[in-house]
Amino acid sequence: MKLFHKICIWVFSGMMGLSLGILFFLLSSMLRQGVDDVICYGKKEIDKNVSVIREKIQRESIGTVETVVKEIMVINEFRQIFKMDSILWKDGEEVWNASPYEIDRSALSKLFESQDLHSGEMYISRRQKVDGKILIVFYQEYMNLGENGYSLAVYRDVTDIYSRVWKLFFSGVGFTIVLFCTVGALLYHGIRRILFPLEELKGASFRVANGEYDSYISITNNDEIGEVTESFNQMAEKIREHMEMLEKTNEKQQQLLGSLSHEMKTPMTAIIGNVEVLLTLRLTESEREKALFYILNESKRLARLSEKMMEFSRLCNQDDSVISIKKQSVSRILEQLNALMSFRLEEKQINLNRTCLPETLEKQADEDLLLSLLWNLVDNAYKASETGSNIEIAADEQKISVQDFGKGIPAGEIAHVTEAFYMVDKSRSKKAGGIGLGLSLCCQIAEIHGWKIRIESKEGEGTRVSVLWQS
Amino acid sequence: MNTKILVIEDEEAINDVIAMSLRATGYEVVSFLDGDDASASLETGHDYGCAVVDVMLPGKDGFALLPELQKYEIPVIFLTARGGLQDKVRGLTKGAEDYMVKPFEMLELLVRIDKILKRRGSFQEKITIYDVVIDREKRVVTKGGQEVYLKPMEFDCLMMLVRNKNRALTRSQLLGALWGMEFEGETRTVDAHISRIRKKLGFEDVIKTLPRIGYRLEVEE
């Protein structure tokens, strides 16, 4: 069952119970009050009337009056005072009955006795239904009306009270129904309004589950539902960001994997072909050596490729435990770099000029990564440089840059050189042992540290690659 | 005169391997390392039976070279590292005769070149090895003018060896090519056929057995 229906059912049944309860309580107490009033008043009146008759009879029958005369006087007085709705008995014999009813005195007498009442006290019956009317009977037994032995019964008609209460009940019920409908309609809409965001939430979370991560809900309720909506929006946003990041990483890795398998095919073809040739053809000694040389070279290329790829994928799936960013002295790093490169640089008699301003410059970085970045930049510069030329590394507060005076990059190609496996001059790069991953590696390292890489180059004049410490 | 094959491939190691294999099989090979050089050379000489062209080349790439090669009616086999259907379709619809994805086996390349040459008619009908003449069309073998009867399977086996002359074929390669199956163990069938061919044609020294590898039909050029 829906929350909305549950709330409606509970609220409506609560309202119904409450209003009917109040109605019943009010009407029943009204009825009791009415009947009580009648009884109280009737009792007092009877008492008063009885004493009036008694006094009158005693006064008028001073001296000796015949019993018969006295009885007639009593009946006469009784008739005048009690009027129509009363019955009088003398020693159990009915002597006066102006009412339209026959009343069985012996039955009343039994009831009288059953309630342990004594003469002089009054028995009041419960309401009786007689001929469509509701009556209450008062009965007194063997009392003194100037003379002993009289019993009397008086009844009061309370039909009116009942019919009034019933009338009230029906109009009350009618009023309740009208009230119920109007309040109900208001409540229905109110609850619906309150719960509407939940519908919206349901739809939105369904959409999110189906991959529409930009499902926002524009509800600004100031209540718990508003809070839930707010946090839902935050969640959707987080999921979207996360998914986008995942997709980006995935795409990057797919691309890398595609390029990698493409890059691997060429050396593999060469190796397979040469081995095949060695196995199946009759070759001269020099041909044999050439084939072996090719196999060695291409295998080395594969090895370099896999090594770089390992480095690359380690950076792609950056694990914080592997990377430790600390304060590093830049001039110390440059010294290490020089030590690493010196052997290689000597081969081409290239000078590596290092400047670091100020000497005490320190930067937040991972030592190995920074070294690897600079190594790659200098290696690229080395490959581009002619024998005997210079490479300059200059570090300051803003950046560190590596400048060579070699071939330079054609203007149209600068945008592409950071792509994995991109090589401006493929055959030349390959002879120099390049595989086209150096600069993308540098970019990856820079990205991890929040740096930017800027490449300026003029064909034939040289290239300057700068790492901007602050992006 | 032997058929000339043009090889354009920028990767020296691969270029050399192709050239070596083709030469050993009896083709004449002209190879280039980049598209511009190849394109320039076409102006002066273009009597090639077939061209093996890498798609990714420095200078003019394979697709740019295609119209020039077609102008001289040279059938083209593309070589590429990209094995995607899109690339294949593009290569073939542009007019390439065939398409090979790296890494490939040399034998396959040779077979494909053979097929193309056969289709193009620039294909020798009669092959002479010492005193044996093989008529491919009529499937007749004569030795010193005398006809030698070879069973169909023996003829096919001989042709396979001749087509790949100076090049070793493994038993399973022969088995796969001739009997259309690739399973080990039945290589003795191959041995039996070879020994019958040797006996019938007196090729005991021409068809060499290479331990652990297979057989090679050797012809001094």
Side-chain angles (χ1 to χ4, degrees):
Chain A
M1 206 195 301
K2 292 210 165 172
L3 187 59
F4 174 67
H5 294 145
K6 276 186 194 165
I7 291 176
C8 280
I9 284 173
W10 278 107
V11 167
F12 289 157
S13 50
M15 256 169 61
M16 194 72 136
L18 190 71
S19 49
L20 284 182
I22 289 173
L23 196 68
F24 273 119
F25 174 75
L26 281 180
L27 289 182
S28 65
S29 47
M30 221 168 99
L31 188 67
R32 209 172 41 239
Q33 193 67 45
V35 173
D36 280 355
D37 280 352
V38 169
I39 288 170
C40 190
Y41 179 72
K43 206 171 159 187
K44 271 187 193 148
E45 203 188 5
I46 291 167
D47 280 344
K48 199 188 85 198
N49 288 348
V50 165
S51 59
V52 167
I53 292 171
R54 195 188 295 135
E55 266 170 34
K56 205 163 182 186
I57 297 297
Q58 277 169 355
R59 198 169 57 239
E60 281 177 15
S61 59
I62 292 167
T64 50
V65 182
E66 279 295 321
T67 319
V68 182
V69 177
K70 219 172 187 175
E71 195 180 319
I72 290 166
M73 279 169 69
V74 168
I75 292 167
N76 201 32
E77 282 304 316
F78 187 82
R79 199 179 63 193
Q80 277 172 16
I81 289 170
F82 279 100
K83 309 238 167 64
M84 304 287 281
D85 41 5
S86 51
I87 299 141
L88 186 68
W89 290 272
K90 167 84 169 122
D91 299 331
E93 292 290 320
E94 189 181 283
V95 289
W96 170 253
N97 183 359
S99 76
Y101 308 112
E102 288 291 333
I103 287 177
D104 182 3
R105 197 201 64 89
S106 59
L108 276 173
S109 172
K110 262 186 203 134
L111 285 167
F112 185 86
E113 276 158 20
S114 73
Q115 291 204 349
D116 270 344
L117 296 169
H118 304 289
S119 64
E121 284 177 307
M122 198 180 292
Y123 164 76
I124 302 156
S125 81
R126 288 197 236 139
R127 61 200 162 89
Q128 314 278 324
K129 270 198 180 159
V130 184
D131 292 345
K133 292 200 168 182
I134 297 166
L135 306 177
I136 288 173
V137 181
F138 301 82
Y139 175 70
Q140 255 180 326
E141 213 175 38
Y142 301 115
M143 52 190 286
N144 187 341
L145 289 175
E147 198 174 3
N148 283 329
Y150 286 100
S151 306
L152 78 98
V154 179
Y155 65 86
R156 287 274 183 275
D157 191 347
V158 290
T159 317
D160 238 24
I161 297 172
Y162 275 89
S163 63
R164 223 169 42 238
V165 165
W166 273 114
K167 231 193 224 156
L168 258 172
F169 174 74
F170 285 121
S171 59
V173 166
F175 181 72
T176 306
I177 286 170
V178 170
L179 201 71
F180 192 81
C181 287
T182 44
V183 172
L186 284 175
L187 268 176
Y188 184 88
H189 283 286
I191 293 169
R192 173 149 260 183
R193 275 253 310 274
I194 290 170
L195 293 181
F196 174 71
L198 284 181
E199 269 310 293
E200 196 85 331
L201 262 173
K202 188 184 116 192
S205 50
F206 190 71
R207 284 200 298 278
V208 167
N210 275 329
E212 284 176 48
Y213 301 112
D214 46 0
S215 313
Y216 284 103
I217 311 168
S218 51
I219 289 167
T220 47
N221 286 21
N222 229 346
D223 53 13
E224 286 88 339
I225 289 176
E227 283 164 24
V228 170
T229 310
E230 180 65 33
S231 56
F232 176 86
N233 278 343
Q234 275 173 10
M235 184 191 75
E237 174 67 21
K238 276 269 160 0
I239 289 178
R240 196 174 60 80
E241 276 172 18
H242 199 69
M243 287 308 293
E244 265 173 17
M245 210 185 70
L246 276 180
E247 264 165 33
K248 234 167 96 184
T249 320
N250 196 26
E251 202 177 299
K252 225 168 161 183
Q253 281 184 341
Q254 280 290 328
Q255 230 169 22
L256 206 62
L257 206 67
S259 320
L260 176 72
S261 65
H262 178 261
E263 274 320 288
M264 275 170 67
K265 274 176 181 169
T266 307
M268 261 158 59
T269 311
I271 292 171
I272 291 171
N274 278 293
V275 170
E276 235 185 338
V277 160
L278 279 175
L279 271 178
T280 60
L281 294 188
R282 276 192 306 161
L283 299 173
T284 61
E285 195 56 36
S286 71
E287 280 176 322
R288 191 181 291 275
E289 263 173 26
K290 206 163 150 195
L292 284 171
F293 174 75
Y294 283 144
I295 291 169
L296 179 67
N297 259 1
E298 297 299 312
S299 312
K300 273 185 182 167
R301 193 161 129 206
L302 274 183
R304 268 201 307 278
L305 194 64
S306 79
E307 200 180 302
K308 285 277 174 186
M309 279 311 294
M310 288 285 280
E311 212 172 315
F312 208 82
S313 76
R314 247 204 324 272
L315 287 179
C316 281
N317 312 315
Q318 37 182 299
D319 193 347
D320 294 333
S321 60
V322 180
I323 297 163
S324 66
I325 292 183
K326 281 188 232 139
K327 253 196 176 132
Q328 307 288 348
S329 154
V330 175
S331 56
R332 195 175 54 82
I333 297 264
L334 286 181
E335 235 159 78
Q336 283 182 6
L337 179 70
N338 191 45
L340 271 175
M341 302 286 299
S342 61
F343 181 71
R344 207 166 139 81
L345 291 167
E346 265 167 35
E347 277 180 21
K348 264 169 128 179
Q349 288 144 22
I350 290 173
N351 273 327
L352 185 66
N353 300 328
R354 292 163 285 145
T355 47
C356 184
L357 280 174
E359 193 69 30
T360 54
L361 183 67
E362 282 188 333
K363 284 290 164 194
Q364 292 282 344
D366 178 275
E367 188 179 349
D368 290 342
L369 291 184
L370 179 56
L371 206 55
S372 160
L373 190 155
L374 293 175
W375 190 91
N376 274 298
L377 292 182
V378 174
D379 190 53
N380 282 345
Y382 166 85
K383 284 177 196 157
S385 295
E386 299 293 322
T387 306
S389 69
N390 288 326
I391 295 174
E392 285 172 4
I393 302 187
D396 57 35
E397 284 289 356
Q398 273 78 46
K399 62 181 188 299
I400 181 162
S401 53
V402 177
Q403 163 97 53
D404 69 62
F405 304 96
K407 275 192 77 142
I409 306 167
E413 317 241 14
I414 291 182
H416 298 292
V417 292
T418 55
E419 287 169 19
F421 299 112
Y422 190 89
M423 286 179 248
V424 174
D425 184 347
K426 232 176 169 166
S427 54
R428 201 183 56 83
S429 307
K430 273 182 188 156
K431 264 186 209 125
I435 49 171
L437 274 179
L439 268 178
S440 9
L441 212 69
C442 292
C443 284
Q444 198 74 38
I445 293 172
E447 199 177 296
I448 289 168
H449 289 89
W451 304 331
K452 267 235 163 78
I453 286 188
R454 194 176 61 198
I455 302 168
E456 302 151 283
S457 183
K458 239 183 192 166
E459 213 175 346
E461 288 181 21
T463 307
R464 183 214 297 271
V465 182
S466 310
V467 178
L468 311 178
W469 300 125
Q470 247 72 49
S471 47
Chain B
M1 193 189 135
N2 288 329
T3 311
K4 262 165 81 177
I5 310 276
L6 177 64
V7 178
I8 314 171
E9 156 72 61
D10 64 327
E11 200 69 34
E12 223 182 313
I14 296 173
N15 194 321
D16 266 9
V17 158
I18 297 172
M20 262 192 264
S21 298
L22 290 176
R23 278 196 193 104
T25 322
Y27 294 110
E28 211 172 295
V29 180
V30 178
S31 41
F32 290 100
L33 288 170
D34 78 71
D36 290 336
D37 293 351
S39 160
S41 85
L42 275 175
E43 311 233 326
T44 52
H46 44 256
D47 56 335
Y48 299 107
C50 176
V52 181
V53 182
D54 190 11
V55 174
M56 301 256 282
L57 285 170
K60 280 188 180 174
D61 71 2
F63 289 117
L65 281 171
L66 199 56
E68 293 177 36
L69 291 163
Q70 278 172 333
K71 198 168 79 187
Y72 301 115
E73 293 186 338
I74 303 170
V76 173
I77 298 179
F78 269 147
L79 297 181
T80 181
R82 273 186 236 167
L85 186 64
Q86 284 287 303
D87 292 280
K88 279 187 193 170
V89 168
R90 185 175 166 216
L92 293 173
T93 50
K94 284 271 166 97
E97 203 71 24
D98 214 332
Y99 198 97
M100 301 217 25
V101 177
K102 292 177 188 174
F104 53 86
E105 274 193 68
M106 241 12 105
L107 182 66
E108 196 185 342
L109 179 64
L110 293 178
V111 170
R112 287 187 189 219
I113 290 175
D114 242 27
K115 284 260 149 92
I116 286 174
L117 294 179
K118 199 170 179 178
R119 266 208 300 275
R120 289 285 169 136
S122 51
F123 180 76
Q124 295 165 290
E125 266 181 28
K126 287 184 179 167
I127 299 166
T128 312
I129 301 159
Y130 303 115
D131 59 343
V132 174
V133 179
I134 304 164
D135 189 325
R136 289 204 205 182
E137 208 64 38
K138 294 181 186 148
R139 290 176 71 94
V140 172
V141 184
T142 54
K143 183 178 164 69
Q146 287 291 92
E147 190 178 325
V148 178
Y149 173 70
L150 289 183
K151 284 181 188 165
M153 268 312 178
E154 289 165 1
F155 184 86
D156 288 339
C157 188
L158 176 66
M159 278 317 301
M160 187 78 187
L161 286 166
V162 168
R163 230 181 280 144
N164 294 289
K165 65 183 173 188
N166 288 329
R167 182 184 170 79
L169 292 173
T170 63
R171 289 184 176 84
S172 54
Q173 272 175 337
L174 281 166
L175 201 64
L178 299 172
W179 283 270
M181 49 190 163
E182 284 190 66
F183 56 81
E184 319 275 309
E186 286 303 318
T187 49
R188 256 182 302 158
T189 323
V190 177
D191 296 338
H193 278 77
I194 296 282
S195 80
R196 260 180 309 212
I197 294 167
R198 274 177 178 157
K199 211 181 273 171
K200 283 179 178 173
L201 298 177
F203 270 7
E204 280 84 1
D205 293 326
V206 180
I207 300 176
K208 290 255 166 69
T209 306
L210 304 177
R212 285 203 309 277
I213 297 174
Y215 298 100
R216 178 161 66 204
L217 189 136
E218 293 186 354
V219 183
E220 296 298 335
E221 304 278 329

